[in-house]
Amino acid sequence: MPDYSNLAIAAALDELGDLYELDGAVIHRVLAYRTAARAIRDAPMSVGALAREGRVTELPGVGRTLEEKILALLDTGSIPAAEKLRARFPPGLMDLTRLPGLGPKRARQLFDQLGIDSLDALREAAEGQQLRGIRGFGPKFERTVIEALDAGLGEQPAPRVLLPRALGLGEQIRDELRAHHAADRVELAGSARRLADSVKDLDIIATATDPAALAAALGELDVIESASVAGPNAGRARTHNGMPVDLRVVEPGQFGNLLQHFTGSAAHNVALREAAVRRGLHVSEYGILDDASGETLHCETEEGVYERLGLAWIAPELREGRGELAAAANGGLPARLIEVSDLRGDLHMHTTASDGRNSIEQMARAALERGYEYIAITDHSATHGFGNDVSPDELRAQIEAVAEVNARIEGIEILAGSEVNILPDGSPDYDDELLAALDWVIGSVHTSFGIGEAEMTKRMVAACEHPYIDAIGHPTGRKIESRAPYAVSIDALVEAAARTGTMIEINSAPDRRDLNDVHARAAHDAGVRILVNSDSHGVSTLSNVRWGIATARRAWLGRDDVANALPWARFAPLRKRAR
DNA sequence: GCCGTTTTCGGCCCGACTGTTTTCAGTCG
């Protein structure tokens, strides 16, 4: 039976939380829905299946009531409470709450008293100066609301940009501020520091000999389009491509508190503070207040903040409220997260034989320069389409070409491989004899994304069971911020991969990072060997492994947890054909 | 609505800003 994806279940609970909030429910009840939605979105297993087994309350934040609602959604396709509330609150009401300064409470006031149920109705009322008649609203609000509507706010959620672009901007701003004469320490915080998939705004934390001068300097940078001063020690700006930037300057003695606070995530900080309260401590961006002594502890470093709370320092990539606090309290954090320099090989790349831009030799020499001991040349297979597929005869020629380059270049093992299409029935698109002649095979899905979860799962499990498919490439097909993952049971895929010794890659293309962090962590925990591959289509993108490594770090992986961080002698026998 | 090395009931992170308000609720990060 077709089940609801975790994303769909989480979206339904988020919507219900929003509706309850409009309905005036106590905020903690609303937050309970959002917390549960987040736990479900993050869950590495199928929550639908978990619910049917009667185990969904094992998820943190999901109790009896939410279990009942999830089961109603699975069984009937809707949640009765949501139906009821949807009938009372028009969908346009949620659009209103996306405008700055307009939350659920005030949107509800406008709806109740003026019948405003859409952005258009709001504009009409604001232009007609009708809003000022309502308690709590005035002429200023009418003006700002019209400005916001003119700017197109409210029509869609604020855009998020991919990490590489955000990090590039953030590091540039950080470095230019560091070069300013008033600057002392300057660090990038926020989701960019956590190396998240995408970033909404840039947070920069600094100490300075002259805070006002540094705050003013932000507005003078070339990348900045507009800026305003936000208090004596803060600046707010927008880059030319619309990315908001916040700068906060503090006393050196509080730098650790502020950096910790602004690195987040929100979930991490909330969990951290709740745990602190239980010990009589109150954590804020300014310090740690001790109930017992009445004193506030200021920390120069982040390590100091965590230490005062009885915790080991937590790498920013782990700060997502996914169990890192418990691990930091009991010595359960990874001793050392993997780094780019740990990689010894790259098992997924393309050449001019398919849609790459460089030759086998060029790719090999570039890989050698990166210090790799081995690479696999994995051009697209026979049915790729787009005019750049490799016929069986062409692949045989490619095998010889790889062997020739491999014999000629010292210091690196070049594997003749292929990125084969996994056909809808789960079979690869070369015959077994040809696959057996290769050194390495990645299986990927490039077509028929919409066949449904059951079929897709069967397809990918069959690929894992194939004797010559060594690894699964970009296993969910997601494109961050642009294409949802196709429906597939990650649990079943991971189980099949573990059972058959099939590796799963974290594809490092910056818009893929697929597997994602939570799935990669779950796959590793289930005994699957994880690869971090570039999927590069030219020498210049071999360095994309930086983004795959970011995801691996967010998956709590160390060097020993990533197969292609092994030396060739230990990696080679892990291939199916070598066993 | 969830949850429990004080609790099965009564809590649930913290602070700044805003516009409107005579002391603050709502919003935001």
Side-chain angles (χ1 to χ4, degrees):
Chain A
M1 90 192 81
D3 237 336
Y4 278 74
S5 70
N6 292 0
L7 294 180
I9 296 170
L13 295 185
D14 268 331
E15 187 205 5
L16 189 49
D18 289 343
L19 287 166
Y20 277 131
E21 194 172 24
L22 282 174
D23 195 35
V26 291
I27 191 62
H28 299 108
R29 187 161 162 235
V30 174
L31 291 175
Y33 278 86
R34 297 197 179 137
T35 306
R38 186 172 186 284
I40 289 166
R41 204 172 277 118
D42 274 1
M45 76 295 283
S46 163
V47 172
L50 202 65
R52 289 191 192 285
E53 289 169 29
R55 296 173 49 207
V56 76
T57 56
E58 290 174 18
L59 289 174
V62 178
R64 289 281 159 225
T65 305
L66 265 66
E67 175 180 47
E68 195 180 303
K69 291 188 156 122
I70 292 167
L71 285 172
L73 179 68
L74 295 177
D75 289 340
T76 70
S78 81
I79 302 172
E83 295 285 328
K84 222 176 288 174
L85 290 167
R86 263 190 228 117
R88 289 178 49 200
F89 303 119
L93 215 43
M94 282 313 300
D95 296 340
L96 301 188
T97 64
R98 280 203 278 269
L99 293 168
L102 204 49
K105 292 274 197 308
R106 284 158 62 82
R108 177 70 192 279
Q109 263 184 296
L110 295 179
F111 177 61
D112 285 347
Q113 300 188 32
L114 294 175
I116 293 172
D117 61 358
S118 70
L119 295 174
D120 287 341
L122 179 65
R123 177 188 286 278
E124 203 182 313
E127 286 173 349
Q129 305 193 340
Q130 293 164 1
L131 302 182
R132 63 186 65 180
I134 299 179
R135 183 182 172 79
F137 293 82
K140 179 77 192 291
F141 179 77
E142 287 170 349
R143 283 199 302 278
T144 55
V145 114
I146 292 168
E147 281 169 26
L149 288 168
D150 285 343
L153 300 177
E155 280 159 31
Q156 67 248 332
R160 300 182 67 92
V161 306
L162 296 183
L163 178 66
R165 191 180 168 93
L167 205 55
L169 270 173
E171 288 173 347
Q172 184 184 348
I173 293 168
R174 177 199 66 192
D175 292 345
E176 290 180 12
L177 289 177
R178 277 180 183 168
H180 191 270
H181 65 83
D184 180 17
R185 292 195 68 178
V186 184
E187 295 291 347
L188 190 56
S191 53
R193 182 171 182 232
R194 301 198 313 275
L195 305 181
D197 288 341
S198 63
V199 172
K200 185 162 60 71
D201 52 23
L202 296 169
D203 295 297
I204 296 180
I205 307 304
T207 61
T209 52
D210 182 349
L214 191 67
L218 174 66
E220 301 301 313
L221 302 182
D222 284 344
V223 296
I224 298 300
E225 173 198 81
S226 61
S228 59
V229 174
N233 299 321
R236 176 159 296 165
R238 274 175 87 80
T239 65
H240 289 291
N241 43 27
M243 171 84 80
V245 183
D246 278 314
L247 170 66
R248 291 284 296 267
V249 189
V250 276
E251 292 298 318
Q254 292 178 309
F255 185 81
N257 302 99
L258 204 70
L259 182 61
Q260 194 285 322
H261 171 77
F262 275 98
T263 297
S265 63
H268 174 82
N269 283 354
V270 168
L272 181 90
R273 290 166 180 201
E274 285 175 349
V277 167
R278 281 180 237 124
R279 310 177 50 155
L281 300 170
H282 301 271
V283 179
S284 81
E285 61 208 272
Y286 302 108
I288 303 174
L289 170 64
D290 185 343
D291 278 340
S293 67
E295 309 252 307
T296 297
L297 175 74
H298 302 300
C299 302
E300 207 164 322
T301 66
E302 261 190 345
E303 285 81 352
V305 175
Y306 287 100
E307 190 183 344
R308 180 63 187 89
L309 301 173
L311 302 171
W313 180 80
I314 300 170
E317 295 93 326
L318 272 41
R319 301 184 198 169
E320 296 292 345
R322 295 172 183 160
E324 68 276 12
L325 293 171
N330 66 22
L333 289 173
R336 174 184 173 282
L337 295 173
I338 187 163
E339 295 174 9
V340 171
S341 59
D342 292 328
L343 292 181
R344 314 287 279 269
D346 186 341
L347 285 303
H348 186 169
M349 66 186 67
H350 299 263
T351 71
T352 51
S354 63
D355 55 352
R357 290 179 299 280
N358 292 104
S359 66
I360 299 166
E361 176 159 359
Q362 286 169 326
M363 296 302 281
R365 292 202 184 278
L368 202 50
E369 272 179 39
R370 292 184 60 80
Y372 291 159
E373 295 174 29
Y374 52 100
I375 58 170
I377 302 296
T378 54
D379 280 297
H380 289 292
S381 55
T383 65
H384 184 58
F386 309 107
N388 51 31
D389 45 286
V390 176
S391 71
D393 281 344
E394 287 170 324
L395 183 57
R396 288 187 193 96
Q398 174 90 333
I399 293 171
E400 289 181 21
V402 167
E404 187 275 318
V405 178
N406 193 34
R408 192 149 43 77
I409 300 184
E410 286 291 306
I412 189 162
E413 196 68 34
I414 310 169
L415 308 189
S418 178
E419 181 186 12
V420 303
N421 278 354
I422 302 171
L423 299 173
D425 70 355
S427 63
D429 58 347
Y430 291 124
D431 63 38
D432 284 2
E433 190 188 343
L434 184 49
L435 293 178
L438 293 165
D439 302 313
W440 172 257
V441 174
I442 287 196
S444 301
V445 167
H446 287 117
T447 58
S448 306
F449 289 172
I451 58 178
E453 179 174 329
E455 282 299 299
M456 186 64 91
T457 301
K458 216 170 112 190
R459 179 183 186 180
M460 298 190 73
V461 167
C464 288
E465 288 168 345
H466 192 280
Y468 294 115
I469 293 179
D470 296 292
I472 302 295
H474 44 71
T476 77
R478 74 155 179 176
K479 295 278 186 79
I480 299 167
E481 298 298 310
S482 69
R483 186 170 81 197
Y486 41 69
V488 61
S489 162
I490 299 290
D491 318 348
L493 171 63
V494 162
E495 185 279 324
R499 170 168 51 82
T500 58
T502 309
M503 303 184 196
I504 298 184
E505 91 174 352
I506 295 173
N507 187 293
S508 299
D511 61 340
R512 288 191 184 269
R513 298 176 69 177
D514 177 17
L515 289 177
N516 70 18
D517 44 16
V518 295
H519 289 150
R521 185 177 172 194
H524 167 262
D525 290 348
V528 176
R529 290 193 185 275
I530 303 294
L531 294 163
V532 175
N533 287 331
S534 70
D535 192 6
S536 59
H537 287 64
V539 296
S540 65
T541 44
L542 284 171
S543 59
N544 271 352
V545 289
R546 177 179 182 190
W547 315 117
I549 289 290
T551 292
R553 291 171 64 87
R554 291 173 57 84
W556 296 46
L557 303 187
R559 178 171 48 200
D560 296 341
D561 303 324
V562 172
N564 54 320
L566 293 170
W568 171 241
R570 288 183 58 201
F571 180 85
L574 299 177
R575 295 168 302 149
K576 284 183 185 171
R577 66 204 61 238
R579 295 193 311 228

